[in-house]
Amino acid sequence: MMQSAGTSFRRKRPTSDRDAALPFPAASLSTILVGVVLLSTLAAMIVGVHRGQEAVHLQIIPSEPSGAKAVTIDATIGGAHKGDGPTIRSLADLTPAELHPQAGPDRHIVTPPADDLSVSLVTCKTTVGYLHILVHPSWAPLGATRFLQMVNEQYFSTKVALMRCIKGFLCQFGIAGDPTRNKPYGGKNNLQDDPNWLPEGPTHRHNELGVKRFGKGYFAYAGSGKNSRSNQLIVALKDNEGLGGGSPWEVPWGEAVGKESFETLDKIYTGYGDKGPSQGRLHREGSSKAIAEDFPELDYVLGCEVIDSR
């Protein structure tokens, strides 16, 4: 324990010629030793920070007024983003093509619906980096509203497992880390289907330019039939021809934006594939210690915030 400045250190008389020959008083030696211990402790704390043992809080402030309050996103030092914080902080950081997506030679098989409703920029922190999601209610009003509800209720702060991530295909997630948070979204609370704005059927897997129907970074819901959307989501890890082709739950309601988001998608662990933790187990246990031990490489969404809207 660090002692106060006025504390005196009691010393014994020297008991040998060696003790008597010290070039400075024993009290001074004690003071030096205490100082060395304090310096060593401080050095260990600094090393601990650099090794990811501490966390910093980064305030995300829109670069220009756009109707959204500044929010705080935790950035863990030593993770994939190494405490640098997200690269996108407001809608002003997006390109015109991201703000107003159009069908083109590289992305979007057709031009998405015009934004007649307010768009929201959501930043999610994951165990491998940040995901920035531009939510378009005009694309799928019910699906987009449900996702924003989950974000505003801090649902993703329960540590949501990226439970079924298949290389070159998609990643499925959404079951709450706290099992008690699932009930309000399922059963009788399932969403009605939104109309699909993507061209359906096997003849529309890609267009004449080779652009595939369901673009990398498109977000939609997982489901199992008509009006089955609840709290489980999917995001495409690569451009995909099959998704969005008629399954009523696969209508996109938003997409990843910014280079950082696509880098994060590429870092998500896909080694478990379909053999990750089962939906039933996650519903029972949430993001439990036992699941973490059984699936040590599993990635998670740690929290999401609306950082801008207009």
Side-chain angles (χ1 to χ4, degrees), residues 118-204:
S118 174
V119 298
S120 295
L121 179 61
V122 172
T123 290
C124 294
K125 176 187 165 187
T126 78
T127 47
V128 288
Y130 289 102
L131 279 173
H132 308 286
I133 307 167
L134 191 57
V135 182
H136 296 269
S138 294
W139 293 12
L142 297 177
T145 299
R146 166 64 61 88
F147 174 71
L148 291 174
Q149 175 190 354
M150 295 166 73
V151 171
N152 289 327
E153 291 178 353
Q154 299 299 309
Y155 179 92
F156 295 97
S157 297
T158 64
K159 189 179 179 184
V160 174
L162 294 162
M163 64 181 188
R164 178 176 174 256
C165 298
I166 302 172
K167 186 175 181 179
F169 183 35
L170 60 72
C171 190
Q172 182 175 340
F173 64 103
I175 298 176
D178 173 0
T180 65
R181 300 290 297 275
N182 293 305
K183 187 175 180 179
Y185 298 100
K188 65 180 181 180
N189 296 318
N190 281 356
L191 295 177
Q192 297 291 305
D193 294 326
D194 283 306
N196 191 8
W197 54 270
L198 290 173
E200 298 182 352
T203 59
H204 295 290

Side-chain angles (χ1 to χ4, degrees), residues 97-98 100-104 107-115 136 138-139 197-198 218 252 255:
E98 291 170 329
H100 308 288
Q102 301 283 325
R107 188 167 178 81
H108 303 301
I109 189 172
V110 295
T111 296
D115 287 317
H136 296 269
S138 294
W139 293 12
W197 54 270
L198 290 173
Y218 275 15
E255 64 175 329

Side-chain angles (χ1 to χ4, degrees), residues 19 24 51 60 94 100 108 122 132 139 144 168 235 277 289 301:
D19 293 330
F24 40 77
R51 289 180 179 174
I60 302 175
L94 303 185
H100 308 288
H108 303 301
V122 172
H132 308 286
W139 293 12
V235 58
K289 181 179 179 181
V301 178

Side-chain angles (χ1 to χ4, degrees), residues 18-296:
R18 176 180 296 176
D19 293 330
L22 288 173
F24 40 77
S28 298
L29 177 60
S30 300
T31 303
I32 291 171
L33 290 174
V34 171
V36 170
V37 170
L38 291 175
L39 288 174
S40 299
T41 302
L42 179 60
M45 292 173 63
I46 293 172
V47 171
V49 169
H50 285 292
R51 289 180 179 174
Q53 296 171 356
E54 299 291 333
V56 296
H57 301 277
L58 301 175
Q59 190 176 44
I60 302 175
I61 303 174
S63 58
E64 63 181 41
S66 52
K69 296 180 179 179
V71 299
T72 299
I73 292 284
D74 290 344
T76 303
I77 296 175
H81 31 278
K82 299 187 185 302
D84 295 334
T87 59
I88 292 177
R89 287 172 162 75
S90 78
L91 289 167
D93 293 327
L94 303 185
T95 66
E98 291 170 329
L99 286 170
H100 308 288
Q102 301 283 325
D106 301 313
R107 188 167 178 81
H108 303 301
I109 189 172
V110 295
T111 296
D115 287 317
D116 297 327
L117 302 173
S118 174
V119 298
S120 295
L121 179 61
V122 172
T123 290
C124 294
K125 176 187 165 187
T126 78
T127 47
V128 288
Y130 289 102
L131 279 173
H132 308 286
I133 307 167
L134 191 57
V135 182
H136 296 269
S138 294
W139 293 12
L142 297 177
T145 299
R146 166 64 61 88
F147 174 71
L148 291 174
Q149 175 190 354
M150 295 166 73
V151 171
N152 289 327
E153 291 178 353
Q154 299 299 309
Y155 179 92
F156 295 97
S157 297
T158 64
K159 189 179 179 184
V160 174
L162 294 162
M163 64 181 188
R164 178 176 174 256
C165 298
I166 302 172
K167 186 175 181 179
F169 183 35
L170 60 72
C171 190
Q172 182 175 340
F173 64 103
I175 298 176
D178 173 0
T180 65
R181 300 290 297 275
N182 293 305
K183 187 175 180 179
Y185 298 100
K188 65 180 181 180
N189 296 318
N190 281 356
L191 295 177
Q192 297 291 305
D193 294 326
D194 283 306
N196 191 8
W197 54 270
L198 290 173
E200 298 182 352
T203 59
H204 295 290
R205 291 178 176 272
H206 57 80
N207 63 15
E208 64 278 4
L209 298 176
V211 178
K212 297 179 180 180
R213 178 165 45 207
F214 202 95
K216 180 179 180 179
Y218 275 15
F219 283 83
Y221 284 82
S224 58
K226 185 177 177 62
N227 302 325
S228 62
R229 296 181 299 173
S230 58
N231 59 343
Q232 294 199 45
L233 309 168
I234 60 171
V235 58
L237 299 180
K238 295 288 184 183
D239 294 339
N240 185 279
E241 293 186 335
L243 294 172
S247 298
W249 55 87
E250 290 175 359
V251 53
W253 46 262
E255 64 175 329
V257 290
K259 178 182 178 183
E260 180 175 47
S261 295
F262 290 90
E263 291 173 346
T264 295
L265 291 177
D266 291 339
K267 294 174 184 175
I268 294 173
Y269 184 72
T270 58
Y272 298 127
D274 281 317
K275 305 299 183 182
S278 69
Q279 296 183 38
R281 184 176 179 185
L282 284 167
H283 274 289
R284 293 190 303 272
E285 299 180 25
S287 296
S288 66
K289 181 179 179 181
I291 286 178
E293 291 173 347
D294 291 342
F295 301 94

